[in-house]
Amino acid sequence: MSLLISVTGDAETQISAGSSTKRRSGGWITFPFMIATLLGLTIAAWGWLLNLIVYLIEEFNVKSIAAAQIANIVSGCICMVPAIAAIASDSFFGTIPVISVSAFISLMGVALMTLTASLDSLRPKPCETASILCRYPSKIQLGVLYTAITLASIGTGGTRFTLATAGANQYEKTKDQGSFFNWFFFTTYLAGAISATAIVYTEDNISWTLGFGLSLAANLLSFLVFIAGKRFYKHDKPLGSPFRSLLCVIIAAVRKRKAVVSTNEKDYHNESITTIPTRSFRFFNRAALKQEDEVKPDGTIRNPWRLCSVQQVEDFKAVMRIIPLALATIFLSTPIAMQLSLTVLQGLVMDRRLGPNFKIPAGSLQVITLLSTCLFIIVNDRFLYPFYQKLTGKFLTPLQRVGTGHVFNILSMAVTAIVEAKRLKIVQNGHFLGSSSVADMSVLWLFPPLVIVGIGEAFHFPGNVALCYQEFPESMRSTATSITSVVIGICFYTSTALIDLIQRTTAWLPDDINHGRVDNVYWVLVIGGVLNLGYFLVCSWLYRYRNLKDDDSDKDAVGSHSTTLSS
C-alpha cells in the first residue's frame, strides 16, 4: 500500500513540476500505465492460451496428445518472439513503438480467435457418439484458426518482456528498477490467476465466445491505456545492433589469431578508462590488441572489423559466460512445459467436482502454480531474502535463487509421478465415475506438485531475468530480459520433441492416458533434473559475476534483492 501512495505522490510531484518547467518523462508517473497494460495484455493472452488444449479437443476434434503438442509449439513461439522484439527495440525502434505495434497485433489475433468461437462455419461439427464419427476441420477452418493463433502469439510475445525493459528504463535508480521487476512478476502471475479462474471457467461453463470476448476486451483496454500514457514515457533511443558489435569481436580476433596476447594495457584499445581485458576467453583479447595504423590520430578506430575496444571484448565475454547457464535453464524448464500439458490431460480423467454444482475446469489447474508463484515472490522478498541477509550478511545471488528453483522443480516432478501412479492403480482396479473414463480420484491430488513447481518458479524465474539484466551489456538490455523467455521457448520445443520421442519408442503416452504410463514419463524427468542440477552447480561454481559485488556495493550493482513489494 505504501508503494501505491509513493507512486501517487511521485506522480503529483512530477505533474506539478511540469506546470512550471518542461515535463520530465519517466519515473513513477508511468507506473500505473505500464502495470495496467501488463495486467490487461496478460489476462488476454492467458485467457485463450491456458485453455487452448481443451478448445482444440472439444471444438476442433483434435486428439489429446496432438493438442498438447500444438499448445507446446504455440507456447514456444510466444516465448521466442521476445528475442525478435528485443532486437527491434535495441537496434531500430525503441521499446515503446514495439509494444504499441505488438499490442495491436495481439488485438487482431484475439478478435479472430473470438470469431472462430462465435461462427459455426469456422469450426467442424462436434463429435456425435464416438471419435470415429468426428469430422476433422477443413483447410479453411484450420487456416483461420492458425492465423488467429499466430497473430495472438506474435502480439503476446512482442509485449511480454519488452514491457519489462520499458518499465525498468523509466527509472534511474537500480532500487526502483528492482522494485518494478518485483511488481512486473507479481502482476504477471496475478493476471494469469485471473485468466485461469474467471476466463477459463467462463469458457468451460458458459461459452467460448464470451470467454474469448473477455480476453478481447482486456486486450483492447490495455492497448488504449498504454497509448494514453505515451506522453509520460521516457523513450529510450536505439543504440544500434549489439549483435554487430559481438560479430566484430569474433572477426577481429580471428584475423589476429597469430598475434601474441599482451599483458601491457597500453597495447589495447580503450575508449575511456585504460585497462586490459580479463583472462577468461583470452583468445578474443586479440580483438582489442592494437596493431599498426589501426587507430586514427584522433583516437578512433579505422576499421571496426579489425580492432575493437576492450569494453566490446568484455561485453562479448559476458554473453559467452551466460550460454552454459542458459543451457541448464532449458533443461530446467522442459519438465515444467511437459507438466503444463500433461496436467491438463490428467485433470480431464480425474474427478474435478467440488460440491454438487461446481467442477474445476482442467485448464484452470495451472492457477495453483500461478498463485503459488505469486505468493512466494512476496514471501521471498519480504521475509526469506531479508532473513538470509541478516543471517549471512550477504544477498542471495541470482544463481543461488536459480539453484533453489532447480531443487523444487525436481521435487515437483517426483510428487507428480507418485500421484499419477496412484491414479493408474485406481484405473486398473476399475474404479471409475459411473460409466465414464474418469478415475474415482479427486483432482485435488494434483495440487501439491503444482504448488511445489510454483515455489520453484518464484526462485528461478526472477533469478534468471535478474542475472541476464545485470550481466549483459547496456546496449542489450531488451535482449537480456528476453533471454529467459527465449530459453523457455526453446524448452517448449524440446518438450514437444521429447513427447514425440516417448510416443515413438514407448507405450507410455497413448491418446487415452488411462492405458499409458505417464508416471514413468515424470520419473524420466526427475532423473534428467538431477543430472541437470549437477551440471548447473558446476557452471555456477565456475561463473564469475561481472556486476555483482559483495556486501554494500551489491546494492549499487544490482539493486536490493530484499526490495519488497510494499517498499
Side-chain angles (χ1 to χ4, degrees):
M1 180 64 70
S2 59
L3 177 56
L4 297 178
I5 295 174
S6 175
V7 170
T8 306
D10 289 347
E12 291 174 352
T13 301
Q14 290 187 36
I15 293 173
S16 62
S19 62
S20 57
T21 60
K22 185 178 179 180
R23 186 190 306 278
R24 181 181 177 185
S25 59
W28 284 106
I29 193 174
T30 64
F31 178 84
F33 297 99
M34 289 288 181
I35 291 298
T37 301
L38 174 65
L39 181 68
L41 289 176
T42 306
I43 289 175
W46 287 19
W48 65 266
L49 181 60
L50 286 176
N51 220 17
L52 181 60
I53 293 177
V54 179
Y55 186 60
L56 292 174
I57 293 173
E58 293 185 355
E59 300 297 322
F60 281 83
N61 303 334
V62 179
K63 298 292 184 181
S64 60
I65 298 299
Q69 289 180 302
I70 292 173
N72 279 343
I73 293 173
V74 171
S75 297
C77 175
I78 290 176
C79 292
M80 296 292 285
V81 169
I84 300 174
I87 294 172
S89 299
D90 285 338
S91 306
F92 305 108
F93 308 110
T95 55
I96 304 302
V98 169
I99 294 170
S100 301
V101 172
S102 298
F104 181 76
I105 293 174
S106 173
L107 183 64
M108 295 298 98
V110 178
L112 194 56
M113 182 80 75
T114 306
L115 284 178
T116 66
S118 59
L119 300 179
D120 293 338
S121 60
L122 295 180
R123 301 189 314 277
K125 291 184 179 179
C127 300
E128 296 179 7
T129 55
S131 60
I132 193 172
L133 299 177
C134 290
R135 290 189 179 182
Y136 291 103
S138 66
K139 291 183 179 180
I140 294 178
Q141 290 169 340
L142 285 177
V144 173
L145 174 67
Y146 290 152
T147 299
I149 291 175
T150 300
L151 289 174
S153 300
I154 292 174
T156 299
T159 58
R160 175 170 287 185
F161 281 89
T162 313
L163 263 171
T165 303
N169 288 346
Q170 304 303 312
Y171 310 100
E172 300 293 337
K173 298 179 180 180
T174 53
K175 182 178 180 180
D176 291 338
Q177 292 172 347
S179 182
F180 176 81
F181 275 128
N182 285 335
W183 277 100
F184 174 85
F185 286 111
F186 178 83
T187 304
T188 298
Y189 285 104
L190 176 63
I194 293 172
S195 296
T197 51
I199 293 184
V200 171
Y201 180 83
T202 300
E203 292 164 352
D204 280 4
N205 295 277
I206 301 178
S207 75
W208 288 99
T209 301
L210 179 58
F212 288 157
L214 291 174
S215 295
L216 179 62
N219 197 322
L220 176 61
L221 184 60
S222 62
F223 175 71
L224 295 177
V225 167
F226 185 77
I227 296 300
K230 206 169 183 179
R231 62 195 178 114
F232 299 112
Y233 303 147
K234 181 193 297 182
H235 294 260
D236 48 320
K237 296 181 180 180
L239 300 177
S241 175
F243 297 97
R244 181 180 182 273
S245 176
L246 300 179
L247 190 59
C248 284
V249 172
I250 297 174
I251 293 177
V254 171
R255 283 182 168 181
K256 298 177 183 178
R257 60 188 177 277
K258 296 182 179 180
V260 179
V261 178
S262 173
T263 57
N264 189 339
E265 61 185 26
K266 294 182 180 179
D267 293 332
Y268 294 95
H269 177 68
N270 289 275
E271 294 179 341
S272 54
I273 302 175
T274 302
T275 183
I276 62 174
T278 55
R279 295 178 60 85
S280 61
F281 300 105
R282 291 189 64 194
F283 174 82
F284 296 101
N285 291 354
R286 293 174 171 84
L289 193 64
K290 291 186 293 187
Q291 293 182 339
E292 187 177 358
D293 295 330
E294 288 187 337
V295 180
K296 297 178 182 179
D298 61 358
T300 59
I301 298 173
R302 292 185 183 276
N303 185 354
W305 298 97
R306 290 196 62 89
L307 178 65
C308 303
S309 67
V310 172
Q311 184 63 48
Q312 284 179 284
V313 173
E314 292 305 307
D315 287 347
F316 174 82
K317 291 180 180 180
V319 176
M320 291 292 290
R321 292 189 191 102
I322 292 290
I323 292 176
L325 294 168
L327 293 176
T329 303
I330 291 176
F331 295 105
L332 166 66
S333 300
T334 296
I336 299 175
M338 293 185 67
Q339 187 186 47
L340 285 172
S341 301
L342 295 178
T343 297
V344 174
L345 300 183
Q346 290 173 277
L348 288 172
V349 290
M350 297 178 73
D351 183 6
R352 293 179 282 125
R353 296 175 301 177
L354 282 182
N357 300 317
F358 181 77
K359 180 185 290 187
I360 301 174
S364 293
L365 290 174
Q366 299 307 320
V367 73
I368 304 303
T369 299
L370 299 174
L371 292 176
S372 174
T373 302
C374 194
L375 174 63
F376 275 88
I377 284 177
I378 300 174
V379 171
N380 289 348
D381 285 336
R382 287 187 64 91
F383 303 107
L384 183 60
Y385 295 159
F387 176 75
Y388 180 86
Q389 181 189 354
K390 290 180 180 179
L391 189 66
T392 64
K394 297 181 179 180
F395 291 99
L396 198 65
T397 67
L399 285 178
Q400 288 172 331
R401 288 189 278 168
V402 174
T404 305
H406 274 266
V407 176
F408 278 104
N409 189 52
I410 294 170
L411 180 60
S412 173
M413 298 304 140
V415 175
T416 309
I418 294 171
V419 171
E420 175 61 13
K422 178 180 176 62
R423 191 192 70 83
L424 287 175
K425 188 173 182 180
I426 291 174
V427 169
Q428 291 169 2
N429 291 334
H431 299 306
F432 295 100
L433 294 181
S435 59
S436 68
S437 61
V438 176
D440 187 13
M441 178 179 177
S442 174
V443 77
L444 297 180
W445 281 91
L446 290 175
F447 281 26
L450 292 176
V451 169
I452 295 172
V453 80
I455 296 173
E457 283 199 29
F459 282 96
H460 68 75
F461 196 18
N464 272 314
V465 173
L467 176 69
C468 293
Y469 188 83
Q470 73 188 35
E471 296 292 287
F472 266 47
E474 184 177 354
S475 62
M476 297 182 69
R477 283 288 169 85
S478 293
T479 305
T481 54
S482 70
I483 286 296
T484 300
S485 179
V486 171
V487 169
I488 294 174
I490 294 173
C491 87
F492 277 108
Y493 293 120
T494 57
S495 66
T496 301
L498 184 56
I499 289 175
D500 185 66
L501 177 63
I502 292 173
Q503 273 195 306
R504 290 175 181 272
T505 57
T506 72
W508 296 348
L509 284 176
D511 288 323
D512 184 356
I513 63 172
N514 282 340
H515 298 98
R517 290 300 304 269
V518 177
D519 56 330
N520 286 348
V521 176
Y522 283 115
W523 284 121
V524 169
L525 297 179
V526 169
I527 295 172
V530 172
L531 295 175
N532 187 46
L533 176 59
Y535 167 76
F536 172 81
L537 292 176
V538 172
C539 292
S540 300
W541 181 67
L542 295 173
Y543 188 80
R544 296 294 178 268
Y545 284 100
R546 185 187 188 199
N547 294 319
L548 187 65
K549 299 179 176 65
D550 294 332
D551 303 328
D552 292 338
S553 61
D554 190 34
K555 297 179 182 178
D556 298 326
V558 297
S560 174
H561 289 309
S562 62
T563 301
T564 66
L565 291 171
S566 61
S567 63

